Amino acid sequence: DIVCSAISILVINTMNAIEQFTDVKFSQMVNEEEATIEFQVEETTKETTLLLETMVLGLQTLEDNEEYTEYIDLIFEEV
């Protein structure tokens, strides 16, 4: 549960920061039943890149932690 909470905080905080501190338009879809969040920015800016890379850094830190590594697996795909 702590891993899920940490991931949720990182993702939701990043989405809120992009909305609050940039003018970039985005779309989001939350599926509570599947516990997924889809978030897409319409354009990549210096600010959105920094915020998203910061989120990824936090997720990678969780993944690398010995206590949590079995609960998180990051997979990067180019789209």
Side-chain angles (χ1 to χ4, degrees), residues 32-67:
E32 292 183 22
E33 289 180 15
E34 294 182 16
T36 60
I37 297 175
E38 183 177 322
F39 184 80
Q40 296 181 335
V41 293
E42 290 187 9
E43 65 179 291
T44 304
T45 66
K46 186 175 175 181
E47 292 84 6
T48 58
T49 299
L50 177 63
L51 291 167
L52 292 168
E53 286 179 353
T54 302
M55 177 190 70
V56 169
L57 177 63
L59 294 170
Q60 288 173 327
T61 301
L62 283 173
E63 183 182 43
D64 293 342
N65 186 305
E66 289 179 9
E67 292 181 54

Side-chain angles (χ1 to χ4, degrees), residues 59-77:
L59 294 170
Q60 288 173 327
T61 301
L62 283 173
E63 183 182 43
D64 293 342
N65 186 305
E66 289 179 9
E67 292 181 54
Y68 309 132
T69 192
E70 68 180 286
Y71 303 108
I72 182 171
D73 187 28
L74 297 176
I75 300 169
F76 295 92
E77 296 179 8

Side-chain angles (χ1 to χ4, degrees), residues 1 3-5 7-8 11-12 15 29-39 71:
D1 289 335
V3 176
C4 183
S5 294
I7 291 169
S8 294
V11 171
I12 292 169
M15 292 167 44
M29 185 183 313
V30 177
N31 185 328
E32 292 183 22
E33 289 180 15
E34 294 182 16
T36 60
I37 297 175
E38 183 177 322
F39 184 80
Y71 303 108

